[in-house]
C-alpha cells in the first residue's frame, strides 16, 4: 500500500510539474466574408470564414539564474470554411426584366409599323412622281412629233 501511494504521489507530481512548466499561447483570429453577386436575376450568396491560428510555447532555459533567457516557438495555421453557398433567382428582378423586355418588344413593333408606313408613303410619292414624269414625257413627245401643216412627218430609222 505504501508503494502504491508513493508511486501515485510521484505520478501526480510529475504530471503537475510538466504542466506547470509549459507556457502556451494561442492566438486565433477569424474573418467572415459575405459576397453577394447579382447576375441578371440570379443572386449568388457566398459566405466564407477564414480562421488564422497562431500557437506557440515559451521555452525557458533551465538554469539557476534569476534572469533566465527564453524563446518562443510559434506555428501558424490557416483554415478556410465555406459557411453559405447559395444561388437563387430574385422574382422581383425577374418580373422587372420581363416587363422591360415586353416594353422593348412593343417599342420595336411600333417602330417597325412606323417604318413600314413611312416606306409605303415614300413608295406612293415615288410612283406618283414617276407617273407625272411619264405624262410630261408623253406630252413633250406629242408636242415634238406634231408638225405644222405642210411639213412632212418624221420618219423613224
Amino acid at each position: 500500500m505504501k508503494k502504491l501511494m508513493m508511486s501515485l504521489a510521484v505520478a501526480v507530481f510529475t504530471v503537475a510539474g510538466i504542466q506547470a512548466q509549459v507556457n502556451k499561447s494561442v492566438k486565433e483570429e477569424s474573418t467572415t466574408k459575405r459576397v453577394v453577386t447579382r447576375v441578371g436575376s440570379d443572386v449568388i450568396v457566398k459566405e466564407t470564414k477564414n480562421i488564422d491560428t497562431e500557437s506557440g510555447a515559451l521555452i525557458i532555459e533551465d538554469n539557476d539564474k534569476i534572469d533566465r533567457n527564453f524563446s518562443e516557438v510559434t506555428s501558424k495555421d490557416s483554415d478556410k470554411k465555406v459557411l453559405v453557398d447559395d444561388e437563387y433567382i430574385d422574382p422581383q428582378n425577374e418580373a422587372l426584366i420581363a416587363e422591360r423586355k415586353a416594353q422593348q418588344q412593343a417599342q420595336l413593333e411600333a417602330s417597325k409599323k412606323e417604318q413600314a408606313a413611312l416606306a409605303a408613303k415614300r413608295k406612293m410619292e415615288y410612283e406618283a412622281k414617276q407617273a407625272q414624269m411619264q405624262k410630261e414625257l408623253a406630252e413633250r413627245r406629242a408636242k415634238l412629233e406634231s408638225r405644222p401643216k405642210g411639213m412632212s412627218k418624221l420618219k423613224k430609222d
Side-chain angles (χ1 to χ4, degrees):
M1 182 78 169
K2 188 175 183 182
K3 284 186 178 182
L4 180 65
M5 289 301 270
M6 285 300 278
S7 61
L8 185 61
V10 169
V12 167
F13 284 123
T14 305
V15 171
I18 291 173
Q19 286 183 348
Q21 293 297 321
V22 176
N23 295 322
K24 288 188 176 181
S25 64
V26 176
K27 181 180 174 185
E28 184 172 291
E29 183 177 311
S30 63
T31 307
T32 303
K33 186 190 315 183
R34 183 179 177 103
V35 178
V36 178
T37 308
R38 293 179 186 251
V39 180
S41 62
D42 295 340
V43 178
I44 301 169
V45 178
K46 191 167 193 173
E47 189 171 323
T48 58
K49 184 174 186 178
N50 292 337
I51 300 171
D52 296 328
T53 306
E54 185 176 318
S55 59
L58 287 173
I59 300 174
I60 300 173
E61 288 182 5
D62 192 22
N63 56 18
D64 293 335
K65 291 182 181 177
I66 295 174
D67 295 329
R68 292 187 271 184
N69 292 332
F70 68 91
S71 61
E72 187 175 359
V73 177
T74 61
S75 63
K76 293 182 180 180
D77 187 26
S78 182
D79 188 21
K80 184 175 184 179
K81 294 179 183 177
V82 176
L83 300 177
V84 177
D85 193 8
D86 289 339
E87 180 175 343
Y88 65 93
I89 297 173
D90 188 6
Q92 182 182 8
N93 197 19
E94 190 74 23
L96 288 174
I97 289 172
E99 181 181 329
R100 188 167 290 154
K101 280 185 181 181
Q103 286 177 350
Q104 287 178 347
Q105 190 66 25
Q107 286 177 348
L108 181 64
E109 293 297 325
S111 176
K112 283 182 181 179
K113 287 179 183 178
E114 191 177 302
Q115 290 295 324
L118 186 61
K121 180 181 175 186
R122 285 185 182 168
K123 186 175 179 183
M124 293 283 284
E125 289 174 356
Y126 176 74
E127 288 175 356
K129 194 171 187 178
Q130 286 294 330
Q132 183 182 359
M133 288 174 67
Q134 289 294 330
K135 185 178 177 184
E136 288 176 3
L137 182 65
E139 287 175 4
R140 280 194 220 140
R141 181 175 285 148
K143 188 176 183 182
L144 288 173
E145 286 180 354
S146 69
R147 310 275 290 179
K149 278 187 179 180
M151 284 189 143
S152 64
K153 289 192 175 186
L154 290 173
K155 295 181 182 174
K156 292 184 182 180
D157 291 333

